[in-house]
Amino acid sequence: MQHTLISPRHRLAVVTAATMLVAGACGTGTTLTSPGTPAVDSTVATVAPATTEPSVAPSTAPHTTTTADVVEHSPEPTAPPTTEAPDPCGAFGAMPPRPDSMPTLAFDTDGDGHADDAVTAYGAEGGWHVRVVENDIVSEAVVDAISGWAYLTGPVEGDEGDHIVLVDNDTDQRWTFATDETGCIRAIDTAPKPGADDLAVEPVDPPEPTEIDDLASPDDELLCGPLPTLPGTAIVGNELWVDIDGVGGDDDRIVAYFDGTWKLRVEFSTGAQSEVEVSGAGAHGVRAIGFADVDLTYGGDELLAVVGGGASTVEIGVFTFLEGGCIIRYQADGGGDFSVYSGASVTHGAGVVCGEGYITSWGFERDDDDTYAVWDASFEPISLGVFGYMPSSDGYAEGVSEDELGDDLFDCNGLSL
C-alpha cells in the first residue's frame, strides 16, 4: 500500500471508559429495650379463704431444680470475623477496551532480573492511566495533562528496577514512574520535559555514512563469539541465509531460537558470531523478517524481526551489526527498545512503512459513522543504534473510508510478515 503522511498534526481522541465507583456500605445497630414492670396496686386487699385445716408456714428450704424446669437454648455457632489484607495501592477495576496497537509491555519494575511485570497505558476519564501489575499487586498513576494520544516507551533501566516513561504524542512531553518497595507505582519526575516544538534547534547537515570498521567496539554485555553450538533443546523460530558481509553468496546465517529465553544469533561465514537476548517476546516468539535500509548514517541494511506482539498485532524490532559482527537492537530516544507494530482487529489497527533512512508507524480507529481516523509519525536514526521522532512528521485525518485504508499493514522493501 502506498502510504501518504497526513496532516494536520495528530489529535487522536482519547478512548474513554466508564469509571468504576466503589461504594462503601455501613451497618446500623438495633438496641432492644425491656418494657417496664407494672406497679402493684396496694389498695386491693387479698383475703385468704376460710379453711378448717391448720395453717402451715411456708417452707424455707431451697428450691431444687428438676428437668421440667430446664429449657435448652443452644447458641448458634459464630465464626470468628475474617479480614482481608487491603490492597497496598488501592482498588482498581477492569481496564476499558484498548486498541491492539497499545499492547501491555513486560518490564522488570521490581528489579529481580526478570521482565515479568506488566505495564499498560490507556486513555480514560480523568486523563491517561499507567497501570502496573507487579507480583499480583495492581497500581495506577494518572496524568491529566494529556489531551490527545499518549504511548509508553520501552523500559528504562533504573537503580532498583525499570522506570516507566509515558509520552504525550502531540507535545513529546514525558512523565516518568517507578514502583516502590510495596509494588505501588509512584512518580519519579512529574515535571513535563520540553517537547520538540519548544526547543530552538539550529539546522544541521545530515551525518555522513559511517563505514562499519570505524564504529566503536560493542559493549561488554554483548556476546561476540565464538559461541557454543545451539543446544539440542533449543526451539528454532526461523533462520535466514543471507549475504551480510558482502563477500558473496548467501552464507551468513541468522537464527531466532528459544532456550529459556528468546535470542537472535548471527553467524558470519568468516567465523564471527554474536547474539542478543530479546526479552518479553511472549507467545509470538522471535522471528527474523529480512533486511531494509532504514538507517542511511550507517553502512548496509538493517535487520527487522518480530519480537513480540498482542492478540492481533506483531511487534517489530530493528537490529544492526557493530564492529566485529556484534548484533545490537536499536533503542528509542528516551530509553528502551525501539518497536513498531503491524496488525489489526475489527475496529483498530497499526501499520509500518519503511522509507529510505526512516520508518513510519501509522494506525487507525473506526468511528461511530463507520469511517476511520488515521494517524502516522516517522522515526529516523539520531545516533548510533538510536531512533528518534522526525519533527513535524506526524499526520492525522478523519472520515477515511475502509477502502482508502487498504489492507497492506506492512510495506517494507517487499518483505513479508
Side-chain angles (χ1 to χ4, degrees):
M1 179 188 73
Q2 182 177 359
H3 179 66
T4 304
L5 299 185
I6 308 169
S7 57
R9 191 172 181 82
H10 172 193
R11 292 290 186 274
L12 176 65
V14 176
V15 179
T16 61
T19 56
M20 300 186 64
L21 181 62
V22 180
C26 57
T28 57
T30 302
T31 303
L32 300 180
T33 305
S34 300
T37 302
V40 177
D41 190 350
S42 59
T43 62
V44 179
T46 302
V47 179
T51 178
T52 58
E53 296 294 330
S55 62
V56 179
S59 171
T60 58
H63 174 69
T64 301
T65 302
T66 66
T67 56
D69 300 318
V70 177
V71 179
E72 294 186 0
H73 296 284
S74 300
E76 294 293 331
T78 302
T82 59
T83 58
E84 294 184 358
D87 190 315
C89 314
F92 302 95
M95 287 186 294
R98 298 172 295 121
D100 288 334
S101 56
M102 297 166 51
T104 295
L105 304 179
F107 281 49
D108 179 19
T109 57
D110 54 9
D112 64 357
H114 301 286
D116 54 3
D117 307 310
V119 180
T120 309
Y122 66 93
E125 185 172 337
W128 271 83
H129 299 236
V130 179
R131 176 174 292 209
V132 179
V133 181
E134 177 186 297
N135 301 323
D136 297 327
I137 299 296
V138 181
S139 62
E140 280 194 0
V142 181
V143 177
D144 59 6
I146 300 175
S147 59
W149 191 258
Y151 62 91
L152 290 170
T153 69
V156 178
E157 186 176 348
D159 293 337
E160 299 179 355
D162 290 338
H163 292 175
I164 304 162
V165 180
L166 181 68
V167 184
D168 187 328
N169 189 67
D170 292 337
T171 65
D172 200 36
Q173 294 178 346
R174 297 166 184 243
W175 290 262
T176 304
F177 304 90
T179 56
D180 58 22
E181 62 277 359
T182 64
C184 302
I185 189 172
R186 58 182 176 84
I188 296 179
D189 182 4
T190 57
K193 305 295 187 298
D197 294 341
D198 302 325
L199 301 177
V201 180
E202 294 294 329
V204 296
D205 294 329
E208 293 294 328
T210 305
E211 295 296 331
I212 187 170
D213 292 340
D214 296 331
L215 296 176
S217 297
D219 296 334
D220 292 338
E221 63 266 21
L222 294 174
L223 301 177
C224 290
L227 298 174
T229 304
L230 289 184
T233 57
I235 300 172
V236 175
N238 77 322
E239 61 180 2
L240 300 178
W241 289 92
V242 290
D243 181 17
I244 304 175
D245 52 19
V247 299
D250 294 335
D251 51 6
D252 303 317
R253 181 191 187 209
I254 296 173
V255 57
Y257 74 96
F258 178 82
D259 186 33
T261 58
W262 278 100
K263 297 182 178 68
L264 265 176
R265 173 182 290 205
V266 57
E267 299 172 344
F268 291 93
S269 61
T270 57
Q273 296 177 317
S274 68
E275 66 181 23
V276 61
E277 183 175 322
V278 182
S279 61
H284 284 275
V286 175
R287 175 168 48 88
I289 301 172
F291 287 84
D293 196 0
V294 293
D295 185 353
L296 296 183
T297 66
Y298 182 57
D301 295 348
E302 286 67 51
L303 171 66
L304 276 67
V306 171
V307 293
S312 56
T313 58
V314 294
E315 179 184 1
I316 300 169
V318 182
F319 300 80
T320 194
F321 309 97
L322 297 180
E323 181 182 8
C326 280
I327 186 172
I328 64 167
R329 182 173 177 180
Y330 276 82
Q331 301 295 289
D333 182 27
D337 297 325
F338 175 77
S339 295
V340 288
Y341 296 86
S342 176
S345 64
V346 176
T347 59
H348 302 84
V352 176
V353 176
C354 295
E356 189 174 348
Y358 65 90
I359 293 180
T360 297
S361 176
W362 65 284
F364 61 87
E365 179 181 11
R366 189 170 68 188
D367 294 329
D368 293 337
D369 60 358
D370 289 334
T371 63
Y372 292 83
V374 182
W375 58 91
D376 56 28
S378 297
F379 303 87
E380 63 182 349
I382 59 175
S383 61
L384 178 61
V386 178
F387 270 101
Y389 166 72
M390 291 177 63
S392 302
S393 68
D394 53 341
Y396 179 75
E398 293 181 311
V400 179
S401 69
E402 186 172 358
D403 292 339
E404 292 176 297
L405 285 178
D407 55 5
D408 190 356
L409 299 180
F410 185 72
D411 181 9
C412 188
N413 284 20
L415 299 175
S416 299
L417 289 177

